[in-house]
Amino acid sequence: MEDNIEPVTLAKGIYWVGAIDWNLRDFHGYATPRGTTYNAYLIVDEKIALVDTVKAEFAGELLERISRIIDPAKIDYVIANHVEMDHSGSLPAIMKAAPNARIYGTRQCKNGLSQYYHAQGCEGWDFEAVETGTELSLGAKTLMFIETAMLHWPDNMHTYIKEDKILLSNDAFGQHVATSKRFNDEVDDVMEDAAEYYANILMPFGKIILKYVETVGELGIKIDMIAPCHGIIWRTDPGQIIEAYGRWASGENAKKVLVIYDTMWGSTHMMARAIVEGVTAAGIDVKLMALRKNEFSEIIKEILDTPMIVVGSPTLNNGMFPSVGGFLTYLKGLHPRSKKAVAFGSYGWGGGAVKAVEKELEAAGFELIEPGLQVRYRPDEEELEKCRLLGERIAVAVKAD
Ligand code: FEO
């Protein structure tokens, strides 16, 4: 066991008992160069509740941390905020250790758990379905549940500890980062990590997030701390992450341009550099990201507040370069809001990449501001000037928005 196994206290009787996955580098396709954590929380009152579990391979670590506080057999309630296996994977181990515990979750959660864990005897688990506003008294502390369907699965919910004003928000407001620190006042750059996490996981659900922020307002709950299931806990100024989610969800953009490309023999790279020169000359911030030099998740984070992307691909076998196709497929799933784009690229004879890029950008919800620019074999000075001029027009469009 490489980690300090001591639990961490959030407030009197409320403990972090999760696990740190230092070496995770790929979270179902999302690059996690800094690892992640699976946060689970133990609430000890007259009754004892465990909120969420951890990925199955960390069940022993979870049980060991719980054991530093209470005998796991004494757990009365297990709150399943989300069925995805990074949070429910240790549920079979917990139910084995605490066979009399009752599980609380949404109806969709029950359906999901029964489909995931039928081989682990879940038919015998005592499950109670809850909905927004359902309360569960632990004694001095009261849990209230808030359904958050499609943030980011149909079964998701949040658990709010009323007396301590702590929101256990599961995936929402998290970050994929492994650290020995647990609170936002102990680390730097947590908002950067939160932005990348939002862009890669929650970007498709902007409208639902705006509705959620409204629902929390209607419930009139005060939040002193937000404890997500990944990464750092928002102990200081938790309102900042709710405010950031509202901003990201509304599609608020900065004045900047992102050029994303791959290249085969350097021609598309030359075009990309000339477009960057044009944007820069027109006074707009621009960033250049090569697809085989940057993780998709890093590029998506940049797109979060970028209103205009310029996507370049050489033609390979009458279509896009594989890295460009893979990226655009990833982007299409995230469907960013309020964005514009232009395609560019090079070819040798038949062409095809630029049209294919345009088709995918439109399918991803981007508005194409003009037809794509393509050159044959190697761009000459005249063609590079066309690229610079394209960059200038793009900058003018960004300024005008
Ligand atoms: Fe962290 Fe949707 O699981």
Side-chain angles (χ1 to χ4, degrees):
M1 189 72 62
E2 58 188 292
D3 299 321
N4 177 350
I5 207 67
E6 286 303 317
V8 178
T9 303
L10 275 66
K12 188 169 182 292
I14 304 173
Y15 307 91
W16 174 87
V17 289
I20 305 171
D21 196 347
W22 294 99
N23 294 310
L24 184 81
R25 293 294 175 265
D26 183 323
F27 189 92
H28 55 50
Y30 169 175
T32 50
R34 298 170 65 199
T36 194
T37 70
Y38 312 108
N39 298 338
Y41 300 96
L42 189 73
I43 307 167
V44 180
D45 199 343
E46 289 168 33
K47 296 286 187 181
I48 296 173
L50 175 67
V51 181
D52 291 312
T53 74
V54 299
K55 203 171 174 182
E57 68 198 77
F58 294 94
E61 198 169 319
L62 171 69
L63 282 163
E64 199 171 342
R65 284 203 167 91
I66 293 170
S67 299
R68 297 290 171 106
I69 306 164
I70 50 116
D71 176 353
K74 292 185 175 171
I75 294 171
D76 297 289
Y77 309 126
V78 178
I79 314 302
N81 277 327
H82 183 23
V83 77
E84 195 167 5
M85 295 175 88
D86 50 332
H87 308 299
S88 70
S90 296
L91 195 52
I94 289 292
M95 294 310 288
K96 201 170 168 189
N100 296 320
R102 173 178 287 179
I103 302 170
Y104 288 78
T106 62
R107 191 154 299 285
Q108 291 87 347
C109 179
K110 182 180 185 184
N111 294 340
L113 291 178
S114 66
Q115 284 166 0
Y116 272 134
Y117 300 110
H118 48 84
Q120 282 87 11
C122 67
E123 298 80 14
W125 297 348
D126 181 13
F127 189 99
E128 185 156 331
V130 301
E131 51 192 35
T132 296
T134 303
E135 294 191 356
L136 174 64
S137 174
L138 304 181
K141 297 180 191 296
T142 313
L143 306 184
M144 185 179 84
F145 306 111
I146 304 167
E147 291 174 276
T148 57
M150 294 318 298
L151 287 184
H152 64 133
W153 280 21
D155 58 277
N156 277 93
M157 70 174 192
H158 291 180
T159 297
Y160 177 63
I161 310 170
K162 290 179 80 170
E163 292 75 12
D164 298 278
K165 301 180 180 60
I166 297 177
L167 183 71
L168 307 177
S169 62
N170 197 264
D171 279 329
F173 311 124
Q175 329 89 46
H176 280 314
V177 57
T179 163
S180 58
K181 306 295 185 189
R182 298 272 66 82
F183 298 102
N184 66 322
D185 45 272
E186 299 173 323
V187 296
D188 297 323
D189 298 333
V190 62
M191 193 57 85
E192 288 296 305
D193 291 325
E196 183 168 319
Y197 178 98
Y198 176 94
N200 283 276
I201 294 179
L202 294 159
M203 190 147 63
F205 310 112
K207 283 184 185 163
I208 298 168
I209 287 166
L210 293 174
K211 180 72 189 156
Y212 167 78
V213 172
E214 204 180 299
T215 301
V216 168
E218 285 165 6
L219 287 169
I221 63 174
K222 186 172 182 319
I223 298 171
D224 285 350
M225 193 186 301
I226 295 177
C229 263
H230 295 290
I232 292 296
I233 296 164
W234 301 89
R235 175 168 68 180
T236 303
D237 186 15
Q240 65 181 299
I241 187 62
I242 296 179
E243 188 270 331
Y245 267 49
R247 201 170 60 247
W248 297 329
S250 64
E252 194 175 296
N253 286 316
K255 297 281 186 196
K256 58 183 186 177
V257 172
L258 177 62
V259 180
I260 306 156
Y261 75 104
D262 207 338
T263 197
M264 205 156 113
W265 292 108
S267 297
T268 308
H269 173 72
M270 290 169 73
M271 295 177 76
R273 292 291 301 267
I275 292 167
V276 166
E277 279 175 35
V279 177
T280 305
I284 287 286
D285 281 349
V286 59
K287 190 172 268 193
L288 180 69
M289 298 183 93
L291 275 163
R292 281 180 289 163
K293 305 286 185 191
N294 295 275
E295 299 288 357
F296 287 180
S297 49
E298 292 171 318
I299 299 173
I300 295 293
K301 190 247 174 181
E302 284 299 324
I303 290 177
L304 183 59
D305 66 344
T306 297
M308 178 82 70
I309 65 170
V310 196
V311 181
S313 175
T315 293
L316 181 68
N317 299 328
N318 302 116
M320 287 178 281
F321 217 55
S323 57
V324 182
F327 173 72
L328 290 175
T329 298
Y330 188 74
L331 180 65
K332 194 162 55 177
L334 295 168
H335 212 85
R337 298 177 67 193
S338 315
K339 311 283 184 194
K340 295 178 179 174
V342 182
F344 69 98
S346 57
Y347 68 103
W349 47 101
V354 168
K355 283 276 173 256
V357 168
E358 287 180 328
K359 193 173 164 202
E360 289 299 292
L361 284 169
E362 283 189 309
F366 285 76
E367 178 193 340
L368 299 175
I369 64 161
E370 63 172 87
L373 178 63
Q374 55 183 344
V375 304
R376 191 170 183 192
Y377 289 120
R378 203 80 168 161
D380 59 20
E381 188 44 47
E382 192 179 323
E383 287 166 324
L384 288 174
E385 183 58 17
K386 283 184 184 170
C387 293
R388 289 184 203 102
L389 292 173
L390 171 62
E392 286 182 20
R393 290 195 299 280
I394 286 168
V396 168
V398 168
K399 277 182 190 169
D401 272 348

